[in-house]
């Protein structure tokens, strides 16, 4: 029973974190693309922000999976 509750908490945490991270990513990309710089200058910022944001998402997901794993 306790393990099932932990899995449910993890599942909902992943969903909420995923929605938050995707929202942050969309805002970051919109802010970058809203600048007056040409695309060639915007591309490194887009790539860096995408890699950083989704790298943190992966780290959070792995941490939650490790927390949920049976001991």
């Amino acid at each position: 029973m306790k393990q099932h509750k932990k899995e449910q908490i993890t599942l909902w945490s992943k969903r909420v974190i995923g929605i938050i991270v995707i929202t942050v990513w969309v805002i970051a990309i919109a802010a970058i693309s809203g600048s007056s710089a040409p695309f060639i200058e915007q591309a490194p910022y887009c790539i860096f922000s995408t890699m950083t944001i989704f790298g943190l998402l992966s780290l959070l997901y792995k941490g939650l999976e490790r927390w949920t794993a049976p001991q």
Side-chain angles (χ1 to χ4, degrees), residues 52-64:
T52 302
I53 290 169
F54 286 103
L56 290 172
L57 176 66
S58 298
L59 183 68
L60 289 170
Y61 271 31
K62 289 296 179 184
L64 285 170

Side-chain angles (χ1 to χ4, degrees), residues 26-44:
V26 168
I27 291 169
I29 295 299
I32 292 167
S33 65
S35 73
S36 60
F39 179 74
I40 195 72
E41 293 176 15
Q42 294 175 1

Side-chain angles (χ1 to χ4, degrees), residues 4 10 13-15 19 25 27 30 37 46 48 54 58 60 64:
H4 179 68
T10 302
S13 297
K14 284 181 176 182
R15 290 175 181 169
I19 290 169
W25 177 70
I27 291 169
C46 289
F48 178 74
F54 286 103
S58 298
L60 289 170
L64 285 170

